[in-house]
Amino acid sequence: MTMQNVEIPYGAYWSTPFTKWQGSLQHLHSMKFAAHVAKQELAKRSIDPTVFDSGVLGMTINQYQSFNGAPWPLYEIGAVHTPGHAVNQVCATGARGLFAAASEVMCGMANVSLLMSADRCSNGPHIFYPNPTGIGGSGQSEDQVVYNMMNDCVGGHSMMQTGENVARRFDITREELDAVTLRRYEQYQEALKDEQAFQKRFMTLPLSVPTPNFKKEACVITGDEGVFPTTAEGLAKLKPVVEGGMITFGNQTHPADGNAAMVVCHADKAQELSSDRSIKVEVLGFGQARDDLGYMPAAPIEASKRALQMADISIDQVDAIKTHNPFAVNDVALAKALDIDVMSMNNYGCSLIWGHPQGPTGLRAMIEMIEELALRGGGYGLFTGCAAGDTGMATVIRVSDR
């Protein structure tokens, strides 16, 4: 069955620019910063935070006192009596968070929910786990971000290796990966035209970045930070990260910082909260899947098929596709498996180019997909992305006239 009566009020969503690892947002507590941004963005849209009867926080990297999850940032924005919870599916957290919010609306637990996603890859926590039976009481420790990117808890392999595995499965060449990477960079340039007109549809630019205590301005950023100028010649010169492999530092993404948010509500409330009441944004379906151990970038393929099945549409009916593509491998494998044009997906940008702050990554991609469909005059959109643990999530959204 499809999702029913679940909508995203048009324009009731936003994203910060994404900044590079150890960049302009590295000093900010990600939950506090998400609340800081949400409070300002809700005020711009004249949305009273007391309208929310539920909230979802999508976050993957621990922050100081993040134990409470969603109730903390909800309180900070003025939704002081709004319950909520936190979700984490690593890279697929944006889609998982939307599923959580949409499910509450569909089953009647919530009428209007605020989905916030926030992460900071910079300065990831160093976690110590006590072990009373250890020698001298010593325990274990990990750098939450770096160690887990390099060491799968089951197979011990790096995320990079999963990309190489999928490249071999689908007979993907280095030339294919570099061609797709260059195309993604060119598509991102479209979002920067006319003084970043596309991005300004959902992003406040320039953005005032506060100090850690949120009392002063630390700096001003004018857009995404960490996007690397890309040319065919430059990509061709790069050596594979793994000897004999296909993946380079050019055809994979980079860790980033930032946040994004979205209002999810019952269809009866959507017009009231929309910036343009003539545009309807429906949430129609979700899919999840898990591939073989060490084949993370392939998981979005089956997840996409299941989301399309729930939405009761075929891939031929999809007008816009956005992916979380930590590796260009993801897009090439998806295109080969679904028999679609790899060069036509991810218009205006994707995580391969603007970076990957974990939780907010997929949510920003879905926001961009909604705006792309609105510019097209409507249609179906498919978002899909992989996540650690060889899993994937996908969602189908339709934009139309009321």
Side-chain angles (χ1 to χ4, degrees):
M1 58 178 292
T2 61
M3 302 290 291
Q4 295 179 352
N5 297 316
V6 180
E7 294 190 23
I8 300 164
Y10 179 73
Y13 40 71
W14 55 87
S15 173
T16 66
F18 288 174
T19 64
K20 62 184 179 181
W21 214 4
Q22 306 305 125
S24 296
L25 301 181
Q26 66 161 309
H27 62 285
L28 291 170
H29 188 292
S30 62
M31 289 173 67
K32 291 182 180 181
F33 185 43
H36 173 81
V37 172
K39 192 171 184 178
Q40 295 178 337
E41 296 292 344
L42 289 170
K44 290 178 184 178
R45 293 161 176 78
S46 300
I47 297 177
D48 186 340
T50 62
V51 74
F52 302 119
D53 48 16
S54 184
V56 178
L57 172 67
M59 195 173 81
T60 75
I61 302 169
N62 293 343
Q63 297 282 270
Y64 181 70
Q65 284 204 306
S66 58
F67 186 82
N68 281 15
W72 184 9
L74 286 168
Y75 192 94
E76 292 295 320
I77 68 171
V80 298
H81 292 113
T82 302
H85 68 284
V87 298
N88 173 3
Q89 196 179 339
V90 204
C91 318
T93 295
R96 177 61 65 180
L98 180 58
F99 174 76
S103 297
E104 288 188 356
V105 170
M106 186 173 173
C107 73
M109 281 183 61
N111 199 32
V112 184
S113 180
L114 178 61
L115 167 59
M116 294 174 285
S117 59
D119 263 319
R120 189 190 72 194
C121 288
S122 297
N123 308 309
H126 181 77
I127 303 173
F128 178 79
Y129 302 95
N131 178 14
T133 64
I135 299 174
S138 61
Q140 289 181 302
S141 64
E142 66 173 354
D143 290 300
Q144 188 182 26
V145 177
V146 178
Y147 186 80
N148 286 290
M149 286 182 177
M150 299 303 296
N151 298 274
D152 182 83
C153 57
V154 178
H157 52 267
S158 69
M159 292 188 180
M160 177 90 61
Q161 187 59 53
T162 71
E164 296 289 357
N165 292 345
V166 172
R168 285 195 298 271
R169 177 189 283 182
F170 287 89
D171 295 321
I172 297 170
T173 67
R174 167 70 183 274
E175 289 72 24
E176 287 179 287
L177 297 182
D178 286 354
V180 168
T181 301
L182 182 59
R183 170 63 178 157
R184 297 293 176 259
Y185 180 74
E186 292 169 348
Q187 289 167 303
Y188 178 75
Q189 302 312 303
E190 293 296 312
L192 305 182
K193 286 185 175 180
D194 302 320
E195 299 181 336
Q196 298 163 276
F198 179 81
Q199 292 181 342
K200 287 178 180 178
R201 296 171 72 92
F202 61 89
M203 188 182 291
T204 295
L205 294 172
L207 179 71
S208 174
V209 177
T211 55
N213 63 5
F214 294 88
K215 292 183 178 180
K216 296 181 180 179
E217 183 178 89
C219 65
V220 175
I221 55 177
T222 58
D224 297 313
E225 179 184 275
V227 178
F228 201 84
T230 304
T231 64
E233 295 76 18
L235 289 169
K237 290 178 182 178
L238 296 174
K239 295 181 179 180
V241 178
V242 178
E243 188 174 352
M246 302 294 173
I247 297 173
T248 69
F249 286 117
N251 58 38
Q252 64 172 301
T253 190
H254 59 275
D257 305 333
N259 62 71
M262 174 183 288
V263 177
V264 184
C265 69
H266 190 277
D268 292 342
K269 293 287 290 183
Q271 282 188 287
E272 176 187 334
L273 299 170
S274 296
S275 60
D276 186 336
R277 297 188 175 197
S278 68
I279 300 176
K280 185 177 184 178
V281 184
E282 301 169 275
V283 181
L284 299 183
F286 292 91
Q288 62 179 344
R290 186 175 184 178
D291 211 287
D292 298 333
L293 178 64
Y295 285 81
M296 180 182 72
I301 296 168
E302 183 61 30
S304 298
K305 293 177 181 178
R306 295 175 183 179
L308 293 168
Q309 184 178 23
M310 179 184 272
D312 196 26
I313 65 170
S314 69
I315 189 66
D316 294 334
Q317 293 175 269
V318 174
D319 300 286
I321 298 175
K322 295 285 271 195
T323 67
H324 163 47
N325 43 6
F327 309 106
V329 167
N330 289 58
D331 286 358
V332 179
L334 182 73
K336 289 187 175 186
L338 300 184
D339 192 24
I340 53 180
D341 179 12
V342 71
M343 297 302 188
S344 65
M345 64 177 79
N346 282 315
N347 292 317
Y348 299 104
C350 57
S351 56
L352 181 67
I353 303 302
W354 35 247
H356 180 26
Q358 302 279 75
T361 305
L363 196 55
R364 172 172 170 176
M366 287 185 278
I367 290 169
E368 290 191 353
M369 184 174 73
I370 292 170
E371 289 297 342
E372 178 183 353
L373 290 168
L375 287 170
R376 290 174 59 98
Y380 290 100
L382 169 68
F383 166 77
T384 190
C386 64
D390 305 299
T391 67
M393 280 286 291
T395 185
V396 174
I397 291 171
R398 177 169 61 194
V399 175
S400 62
D401 294 331
R402 288 196 182 277

